[in-house]
Amino acid sequence: MSEWYEYVPHRLLYQRVRDIASGVEGVLMAVINENVSDTAVYERWVELAYIRGASGREFTTAATNVEPAPDQPRTAASRRDQRSA
């Protein structure tokens, strides 16, 4: 049997995100490819995002449900780009 999980790189790691399924916002702590099957015969792998909410508790959602939070502060680079436009 193979490993039960593996970490997956994600562009929004450690940034404020929103779970589009529930609307809850938090910080993306990890994206993990997990084997969620309950038998050793069939493997079922799912990419789960671990988000830490305002309460400090983490919850999971499908990695495809993660988007940047709408109130993201603009970076210096984005402010610089807008001035040059």
Side-chain angles (χ1 to χ4, degrees):
M1 183 186 297
S2 61
E3 293 293 322
W4 286 96
Y5 65 92
E6 64 182 3
Y7 287 90
V8 177
H10 196 280
R11 66 182 178 87
L12 296 174
L13 201 57
Y14 305 117
Q15 294 184 33
R16 189 152 183 79
V17 296
R18 184 173 81 89
D19 170 23
I20 58 175
S22 67
V24 177
E25 293 183 8
V27 177
L28 180 63
M29 302 306 293
V31 176
I32 299 177
N33 192 20
E34 289 190 38
N35 182 356
V36 296
S37 66
D38 55 359
T39 67
V41 178
Y42 300 105
E43 292 185 352
R44 181 167 180 252
W45 291 85
V46 177
E47 282 192 5
L48 293 176
Y50 284 76
I51 300 172
R52 182 172 294 159
S55 68
R57 289 192 158 206
E58 291 184 9
F59 64 94
T60 60
T61 188
T64 56
N65 286 346
V66 175
E67 67 180 14
D71 63 339
Q72 283 288 330
R74 296 186 341 180
T75 63
S78 67
R79 287 191 295 270
R80 215 175 19 252
D81 292 343
Q82 196 167 37
R83 277 194 307 244
S84 64

